[in-house]
Amino acid sequence: MLRILAVWIGLSLALAVPVTFRYIPPPGLEVRSVSLRGSFNQWGETPMQRENGSWAVTVDLDPGEHQYKFFINGQWPKDMCHDPTFGTPMVDPTAAGCVDDGFGGQNAVILVQAMAPSPPPTGPVALDFAHDPGKAQYVSVADGKLSLRFTAGEGAVAAAWLEAPSLGKVPMHRQLVFPGTEVWRVALPSAPETYRILIKTQGGEEEAFGPFRPPTRPFSQVPWVGGGVGYQIFPERFYNGDPQNDALALESDEYLYNLLWQRSGGPKPHLSRWTDPPSPLHCCHQYFGGDLAGVLAKLPHLEALGVTLIYFNPLFDSGSAHGYDTHDYLKVSPKFGDKDLLRRVLDEAHRRGMRVIFDFVPNHTGLGFWAFQDVVRRGPRSPYWNWYFIKRWPFLPGDGAAYEGWWGLGSLPKLNTAHPGVKRYLMEVAKYWIRFGFDGVRVDVPGDVLDPHTFFRDMRAELKAIRPDAYLVAEVWQRDPSWLQGDQFDSLMNYAIGRDILLRFAKGGHLALYNARRALADLARVYALYPEAVAGMGFNLITSHDTARLLTELGGGGLRDNPSPESRARQRLAAALLYALPGVGVTFQGDECGFTGEKPAEPPHDLQRYPLQWERCHGETLAFYQGLARLRRELPALRSAVFRTYLGEGHLLAFLRGEPGEGEVLSAFNSGLEATILPLPPGGWQDPLEGRTYRREVSIPPLGFRYLVHMGR
C-alpha cells in the first residue's frame, strides 16, 4: 500500500560532521586573536579559543571539500601552505592541500568524510528524501523547461516518478551521485498546478511526497548564455589598434593624485612598446597601448574562435592599466577610446552574434574619483565625506592609514555603499551602461560591499526591469549558492569548478592527491547545490587576469619558456573539459594561442597580463580551440543545462550531457600518461571527430578525451 509520509523540507544533503580546527603558532609569534574563516561560513569570523598554547574551534561541516584560512591578529595569512610569519612552514599542517584564494595567495583545503552510521546498517539505506519547491536548487527553469529535483540517500531509490493531474505519471531519472547522496530529476514542458513525487525504494517499499505547488515565478535561465563560448579581454594588453591615444594613459594615472607616491621618489608610470620587457610597474602603471580600436580589429579572430560572449575588464576612466581604480564611471578611458568607438565595438560584436558584459567596481574607487577629490580638498565640509570611511584629515592621498581602502590599499579608497547617495549613484551607473548597449555585468568583489545581499538584490531588480535578459555575474571564487537563489546573480565566476576541480584533475600527478573519483564527486556536489538554471548559464573559467596562464599552470613554464609537448596536451585536456560543461566556457585572452605567463610574488607582477604577441600564436592550439567551439555548435547536448554523473576512477573521468534519450553526449577524459578503457552505457556511441561508432567500451588516449554521441540502440 502507498504510504503518504510527512515531507522533510530543506534537509541538508548529508548529515553534518563535527570538525575541529587547531592553530599552533610558530615560536616567537605573539598571538592575540584567531578566528576561522572559510567557504562554510561565507568567510565570516568564527572565533577560536586559546587552549594550552594553541587556538581551536569545532564546527559542523557537510561532507565534501571546504576552503578556509585562520585570521590571525587581524591579518590574513597570504599562503596557508607556506607563510613563515604565521606557520612553520604550513599555517595548518593538517590541511589536505591548498588552492588559489583569488588574491595571489592560497586557501587551505579540508576534506570532510561522511560519518559512518553506528551501528553499521543491516537493512536498506535511509531514504533521507528532501525537496522544497521554494528553493531554486530543486525547482528552476533551464533549457526552456521546468526542472524538478529531489535528493535522497545514495542507493536508496530504485525508481521515481512525478505525478500531476495534467501530466499523469512521468518517470524521473537519477542525475547525480556523490558519497551519501543522489539527485533525481525530471524536466517538464510546462509547470503543473500541483504535483507529487512517488518513490520506490531499493527495499521495494513505495513512498509518496506532496502535494507540492511550484513557484509562480521560478528562477529562470537567461536563454542566450548557455552553450556559448566566452572570451575575457584585458584591453590594455590585448591589441594596440591606435597608437595615437597611447600617451593619454599618463594623463589620468594614479600618480597624478597619489601625493604619497610623488613624495616617495619611486618609479613613475611610463609608456612601453608592445614588445618591451616587463618593468617593475608591469602590474599597474606600465602602459603598452591596447585599446578599443585593437578590439575592433580582432573581432574576426574572436568570431573564428566561436566566441558568443565577451567579458571586458574595466573600460572606464581610471588610474591604472588594470582599471579597478575608477576615476569616472561614466567615461570611457581615453587611452582606450571614447563612447562613439565603444558603441562601434558593441554594434559590430552584436552583428557577429556576440554579447558583451562590462566590469563594474562598486566597492571602491580610485584616488582621482571626483567625490574622493572633493573630500581631499574640503574634508568634513564635503557633501561626500560620508561616502568614504575617513580616519583622519587632512591627509595625503595614497596614505592607507588615513582612510579605509580595499585590503588596506591607499590607492583604492572603500566606498560606503550603505550610504543612500552612494548606492543610488552606483545603481544609476550600472543602469546607464545596460541602456547603452551592454548585455550584462560582471561585479568585482561583491562580497566586500556592505550588506552585499541586499545591495545586489536591489541591483538585480533595477537592471532586470530595464532588460530582463541581462546577464549578472559575481566575482566569487568559492562555491556559494547564497548568491544564486534567483534574487541576486545569474552565475558566479566559477573558479570553484575551473580551478578547484578541472585544473587539479588536468594536472594529473599522484592519484592520492586528486583523482577522477574526487573530481566527479566535487562536480556533482556543485551541480546538486546550484539550481539547474544556474548550471545552464554558468560562467565557467580556469584562468583569468588574476591567475597564471593555463599553459603555465599545467607545466608549460613562465613568460619566456618553451612549453613541453605534455604541458600542451594537458592544456588541451583542460580546455576540452571546460567546453564540455553546461554554461559558457570562458577563455582568458591568449590562452587559445598557447601563451605562457606566471603570476610572480615579486615584481614584475602579473606576467600573465603581458601584451599578446599575436605573431607567436601557436597554430595547433588555436585550431584546437576553434574545433571545440564547432563541436559545441554541432552537438545540442553540449549546449544543454543538464549534467549527469557517470564514472570516475583513477585518471578516467566521464559524465553525460543532455536529456536522456535525446542525443546525449558522453564526455570522457584521461589525465594519465597511458591509454585507458572506458566501459560504455548500452547502445551505440559515435565519436564525431572520427565518425566511428563504439559499443560496450572505448579506449581513451593518454592525456586525451572523447565526446561520444548516443546513437540509440
Side-chain angles (χ1 to χ4, degrees), residues 151-173:
T151 62
E154 181 186 7
V157 179
W161 301 264
L162 180 138
E163 184 183 61
S166 58
L167 299 171
K169 199 173 174 181
V170 182
M172 303 181 75
H173 65 267

Side-chain angles (χ1 to χ4, degrees), residues 69 92 161 184 450:
K69 277 187 176 180
D92 184 2
W161 301 264
W184 289 67
L450 300 178

Side-chain angles (χ1 to χ4, degrees), residues 174-178 520-521 523-525 643-647 654-656:
R174 189 170 69 172
Q175 178 191 17
L176 305 169
V177 181
F178 52 96
L520 189 64
L523 285 168
R525 287 188 182 96
F643 174 98
R644 296 154 54 208
T645 51
Y646 180 62
L647 183 145
F655 50 80
L656 290 153

Side-chain angles (χ1 to χ4, degrees), residues 324-391:
Y324 288 96
D325 49 351
T326 313
H327 288 173
D328 190 336
Y329 285 89
L330 298 175
K331 178 183 179 181
V332 174
S333 177
K335 63 181 176 288
F336 296 149
D338 55 24
K339 286 182 182 177
D340 288 341
L341 182 54
L342 176 58
R343 192 174 296 281
R344 283 182 59 199
V345 170
L346 293 179
D347 289 346
E348 183 60 19
H350 289 155
R351 188 183 71 79
R352 294 174 183 267
M354 305 174 198
R355 308 292 184 111
V356 187
I357 65 176
F358 69 95
D359 212 329
F360 183 43
V361 189
N363 180 68
H364 48 267
T365 69
L367 300 181
F369 183 58
W370 50 268
F372 187 77
Q373 282 297 304
D374 195 76
V375 170
V376 171
R377 290 190 300 269
R378 301 169 64 185
R381 294 184 296 107
S382 169
Y384 308 109
W385 176 261
N386 290 321
W387 280 38
Y388 295 92
F389 300 93
I390 310 301
K391 300 174 184 177

Side-chain angles (χ1 to χ4, degrees), residues 519-584:
L520 189 64
D522 287 348
L523 285 168
R525 287 188 182 96
V526 171
Y527 289 123
L529 202 57
Y530 287 1
E532 200 152 79
V534 170
M537 54 182 169
F539 190 96
N540 306 321
L541 75 171
I542 303 175
T543 56
S544 72
H545 67 295
D546 282 326
T547 74
R549 286 198 168 277
L550 183 55
L551 187 52
T552 294
E553 295 274 19
L554 292 168
L559 186 62
R560 298 178 180 86
D561 295 330
N562 293 318
S564 65
E566 179 180 331
S567 65
R568 290 198 183 277
R570 291 196 182 277
Q571 177 179 2
R572 293 192 295 271
L573 176 67
L577 258 169
L578 184 68
Y579 276 58
L581 294 180
V584 57

Side-chain angles (χ1 to χ4, degrees), residues 230-247:
Y231 194 87
Q232 179 188 353
I233 295 179
F234 190 88
E236 214 283 320
R237 310 288 168 80
F238 184 63
Y239 187 65
N240 189 346
D242 181 10
Q244 299 301 313
N245 60 23
D246 293 1

